[in-house]
Amino acid sequence: MKILILPDQGDATIRAADMICESMAARARTVLGLATGGTMEPLYAELVARHRQGRLTFADARSFNLDEYVGLAPRHPQSYHSYMHRHLFAHVDFAPGATALPDGSAPDPDAEADAYEARIAAAGGIDLQLLGIGRNGHIGFNEPTSSLCSRTRVKTLTESTRAANARFFAEGEEPPTCAITMGLATILDARQVLLLAFGAEKAPAVRAMIEGPVSAFTPASVLQMHRRATVILDQAAASMLELREYYHTVHPDGAPALV
Ligand code: GLP
């Protein structure tokens, strides 16, 4: 794992946007794996700004999102479809039909999950998968005890995840109890992964992911098995890492490695 610790979230977001631009420049028809959550909002704002400045185009790219709530139609304001439209898709130049999320309103969510996994494979797999991390160590909606070999499927959300995500829902509206999510093996298949985590509330999960054992109890720890995984942190999210000084030495302020 490449651990980049940036001075603050703003610097970290710029570094992540640079990596996405490099990956898209290196491969004309990039397949992006996209994520949702508060962490991604400034990153998408940065990508939109670069697009408006003529520095970044999505015209030849495709995308697959990690997950979607079961029971929310794409047009529901709290669906991840709506989130992606609001923060990215409405403002950049993806070709029609080039972006995909699981359909949370599909009559048979299990069949929808299987079909989504097949669509990713048919597109040739994901080149760069973006990830956030839940406070309990989840990635996508792979909650603790998710199989390390899991594929896209329906997962029941933990109460802590529903409570953390309740802030995005209107008062009196409950977050759904289930989601369709790419599995951990689906995520590991991506040719490169880029996980972002900011703030002290993520520090315990970040520590468990990077320095703990590979364990289904911390689903993000499976990234220790990936050959090209980069983790971009701010100081607060990195604060509990035992080898923090070492990561700084290798990549001072998130810079490329010293030779
Ligand atoms: C949700 C998403 C995850 C995301 C997590 C953290 O549970 N399914 O993909 O990483 O939230 O979100 P935030 O960035 O808001 O902390």
Side-chain angles (χ1 to χ4, degrees), residues 36-39 66-67 80 132-134 138 140-141 161 165 167-168 202:
T36 53
T39 306
L66 280 167
D67 47 15
Y80 283 164
I133 185 170
H138 74 235
F141 270 130
T161 294
N165 289 352
R167 70 190 195 279
F168 296 113
K202 298 289 175 73

Side-chain angles (χ1 to χ4, degrees), residues 81-99:
H81 278 81
S82 294
Y83 171 105
M84 290 308 301
H85 186 77
R86 216 163 35 242
H87 294 291
L88 187 65
F89 298 159
H91 314 291
V92 298
D93 59 345
F94 277 107
T99 62

Side-chain angles (χ1 to χ4, degrees), residues 35-37 41 65 67-87 89 101-105 141 165 168-170 173-176 178:
T36 53
E41 290 179 18
N65 264 77
D67 47 15
E68 179 59 286
Y69 290 112
V70 170
L72 297 194
R75 266 177 313 195
H76 187 287
Q78 264 61 57
S79 74
Y80 283 164
H81 278 81
S82 294
Y83 171 105
M84 290 308 301
H85 186 77
R86 216 163 35 242
H87 294 291
F89 298 159
L101 291 91
D103 182 353
S105 63
F141 270 130
N165 289 352
F168 296 113
F169 287 78
E173 205 182 359
E174 292 269 308
C178 292

Side-chain angles (χ1 to χ4, degrees), residues 30-51:
T30 309
V31 181
L32 294 170
L34 299 176
T36 53
T39 306
M40 299 298 150
E41 290 179 18
L43 176 61
Y44 292 147
E46 175 65 20
L47 296 181
V48 169
R50 290 183 190 206
H51 172 69

Side-chain angles (χ1 to χ4, degrees), residues 110-134:
D110 295 322
E112 170 65 11
D114 290 346
Y116 194 71
E117 180 81 26
R119 281 175 76 187
I120 296 170
I126 289 168
D127 293 308
L128 175 63
Q129 177 67 58
L130 271 179
L131 295 168
I133 185 170

